Amino acid sequence: MNHTVIVLIALVILVITNLVSFFLMMHDKNCAKKGSWRVPEATLFIATACFGGLGGVLGMKLLRHKTKHWYFAVFFPLMLIVQIAILAVGAYFLFIK
């Protein structure tokens, strides 16, 4: 498969997973304001862990949501760093090796 196709597929997947993660955070914040049923924290973690780290961190920072929970404040940025490292290693082996 062509490198360009692989990069485009990866970018589409990253955009989708990060949008899902961000909008789940937004939905949970709106539900919290209304006092309605919330998105389970496990769902937020799973969405962020599935390469939605940037969306989760942006949702946390821009929406000021889940910032007082230490496990979100620590693990969301940590997941983002790990995801960037994995993508960097993947890019290295795709383009250099």
Side-chain angles (χ1 to χ4, degrees), residues 31-83:
C31 289
K33 286 180 180 178
K34 295 176 187 174
S36 61
W37 289 99
R38 305 278 302 273
V39 177
E41 289 184 347
T43 302
L44 298 174
F45 268 99
I46 290 168
T48 301
C50 293
F51 282 90
L54 182 60
V57 169
L58 286 176
M60 200 171 66
K61 298 293 183 183
L62 295 176
L63 303 171
R64 296 183 184 159
H65 189 53
K66 299 289 188 186
T67 57
K68 294 182 180 178
H69 298 278
W70 70 269
Y71 41 92
F72 281 93
V74 170
F75 288 111
F76 273 29
L78 186 63
M79 282 191 269
L80 176 59
I81 291 167
V82 168
Q83 291 166 10

Side-chain angles (χ1 to χ4, degrees), residues 1-46:
M1 191 179 299
N2 188 343
H3 290 129
T4 307
V5 174
I6 294 171
V7 170
L8 286 175
I9 290 170
L11 284 174
V12 168
I13 291 170
L14 284 171
V15 168
I16 290 169
T17 55
N18 281 288
L19 285 173
V20 167
S21 185
F22 182 83
F23 285 116
L24 280 172
M25 292 289 282
M26 183 185 294
H27 178 68
D28 190 51
K29 174 78 174 193
N30 290 334
C31 289
K33 286 180 180 178
K34 295 176 187 174
S36 61
W37 289 99
R38 305 278 302 273
V39 177
E41 289 184 347
T43 302
L44 298 174
F45 268 99
I46 290 168

